[in-house]
Amino acid sequence: MFRGSLVALVTPMKADTSLDWDALDKLVEWHLEQGTHGIVAMGTTGESATLDRDEHLAVIRRVIDIVNARVPVIAGTGANSTSEALDLTAAAKNAGADGALLVTPYYNKPTQEGLFLHHQYIAERVALPQLLYNVPGRTACDMLPETISRLAKLDNIVGVKEATGDLERLAQIKASVGDDFCLLSGDDETGLDFILAGGDGVISVSTNVAPALMSRICELALAGKAEEAKALDLKLQSVHKNLFLESNPMPVKWAVSQLGFGSDALRLPLTTFSAEYQPVLRAAMQENGLI
C-alpha cells in the first residue's frame, strides 16, 4: 500500500501563522499532478508539535478530502502519551486515513519494552494500518530492530519509517520481518540506497520541493534501474542536504513558500529560515530546475 515517494507534507500558513487552507488545497493538488505516490499529513514536517488537536485533525481531514482516494494518505498520530496517540489514531481512522504514522514517544525515553507495549496498545484498539517511526535524532528514543521485529507480528502494524540513515539497520530489520512488512526511509540523503538495498520507498522532506524528481528516482530504483536513479539523485543531493541547514521544517517551509504555497511563517518556538542560508538553498533548487 505504501510505496515510492511519499511526501512529509508541510502545513501552509499565513503570515500570522493561521492555517492557509487555500494554499494547502493547491499544494496537495500539485503533488498529485507531479506524481507523488502518497501524502503524510501532520508529521514532523507538518508542524504537528505546534498545532492543537482540532487543527491537527482538521488538516488531516482536509488532505483526505482533497486527495479523494487518488493516492494513500497517512496521518501523523504519534505522541509521547499513549492515550493521546490512541485518540489521534482513532480520529484519523474515523476521518478516512489509509494509515497512521506513529513516532516513538519522545522526551520520556521509554525502554524497548515500553515501546512495544505503547504500540501494541494502540494497534489492538484501532483497526488501521500503522507505521512505526524511528527518528532517535529528534526523540532521544531509539527503537531497536529487535523491537520492530516483535511489533511486526502484530495485526495493524504494517511497516516502519526508519530515519537513522543507517543502512545496516535496514538489513537487520529486513531479515527479521515478513516480505509484506513495509520498509520506508526517513532520510532523504540515503533514501535511494535504502530502496536499492530492499526498501519500499521514502517518506521525504525533499519531495515537498522536488515531487516529480523524487517520484522518478523512486520509480527507477524500485524497477532496478539503479544507474539512472543514481544520476538523478546525485544532482538532488544538494537539495537533500540544504533542506537541513537548520532544523526541519524551517528550511523546507521557506522553500515551499518560494514555490507559492503559503508564507514561510512557523509557530514558535520554530522561527523562519535564517536569511544567511536562503541563498544556498535557493541555489540548490535552481540547480535542479525547481525554481
Side-chain angles (χ1 to χ4, degrees):
M1 181 185 294
F2 309 128
R3 187 172 170 85
S5 174
L6 296 91
V7 62
L9 192 72
V10 304
T11 301
M13 295 178 184
K14 299 177 182 178
D16 64 0
T17 75
S18 62
L19 301 181
D20 190 336
W21 296 111
D22 288 342
L24 178 62
D25 294 351
K26 292 173 183 175
L27 181 62
V28 170
E29 285 291 353
W30 180 64
H31 274 288
L32 297 172
E33 293 166 3
Q34 293 288 305
T36 296
H37 301 122
I39 296 179
V40 177
M42 281 288 94
T44 304
T45 308
E47 298 176 68
S48 57
T50 54
L51 271 66
D52 65 33
R53 181 185 183 277
D54 289 344
E55 291 173 319
H56 187 119
L57 294 174
V59 170
I60 290 170
R61 293 189 192 101
R62 186 71 162 237
V63 172
I64 291 168
D65 287 346
I66 296 300
V67 170
N68 194 25
R70 286 176 283 178
V71 297
V73 176
I74 300 169
T77 62
N80 63 346
S81 160
T82 302
S83 60
E84 182 180 353
L86 174 65
D87 171 59
L88 289 172
T89 305
K93 178 183 184 298
N94 291 337
D98 297 292
L101 178 69
L102 291 101
V103 69
T104 52
Y106 45 87
Y107 187 77
N108 295 328
K109 302 178 78 170
T111 63
Q112 296 300 305
E113 184 64 14
L115 290 174
F116 176 81
L117 293 172
H118 168 84
H119 286 286
Q120 180 188 50
Y121 188 88
I122 299 164
E124 288 179 346
R125 287 163 177 79
V126 184
L128 180 69
Q130 294 166 32
L131 293 167
L132 311 171
Y133 178 16
N134 188 44
V135 56
R138 295 192 75 114
T139 62
C141 175
D142 188 4
M143 182 181 289
L144 299 179
E146 306 87 77
T147 304
I148 294 172
S149 177
R150 289 179 69 195
L151 288 167
K153 296 177 174 64
L154 301 179
D155 290 342
N156 301 325
I157 295 183
V158 301
V160 63
K161 176 184 177 183
E162 174 57 51
T164 61
D166 182 356
L167 295 179
E168 291 184 8
R169 280 286 184 96
L170 171 61
Q172 292 171 349
I173 296 167
K174 190 172 178 60
S176 64
V177 298
D179 291 340
D180 58 347
F181 192 73
C182 183
L183 300 168
L184 298 169
S185 170
D187 180 68
D188 279 313
E189 286 193 62
T190 60
L192 172 59
D193 290 334
F194 186 98
I195 296 174
L196 294 176
D200 297 297
V202 185
I203 295 179
S204 165
V205 175
S206 295
T207 296
N208 279 285
V209 296
L213 268 173
M214 284 297 295
S215 293
R216 183 61 177 155
I217 289 167
C218 289
E219 288 166 0
L220 288 169
L222 289 167
K225 299 178 180 179
E227 295 308 313
E228 292 180 59
K230 287 178 180 178
L232 293 176
D233 187 66
L234 181 62
K235 190 175 178 182
L236 200 57
Q237 282 293 321
S238 61
V239 172
H240 298 331
K241 179 180 178 181
N242 291 320
L243 282 173
F244 289 87
L245 285 168
E246 291 184 317
S247 295
N248 181 50
M250 292 190 288
V252 73
K253 194 69 174 289
W254 176 85
V256 171
S257 76
Q258 299 305 293
L259 300 176
F261 301 108
S263 76
D264 64 347
L266 304 100
R267 293 185 181 176
L268 290 170
L270 298 176
T271 54
T272 54
F273 186 43
S274 295
E276 64 183 292
Y277 296 128
Q278 291 175 14
V280 180
L281 180 52
R282 179 182 292 278
M285 293 172 69
Q286 290 173 332
E287 176 190 358
N288 285 275
L290 305 176
I291 54 174

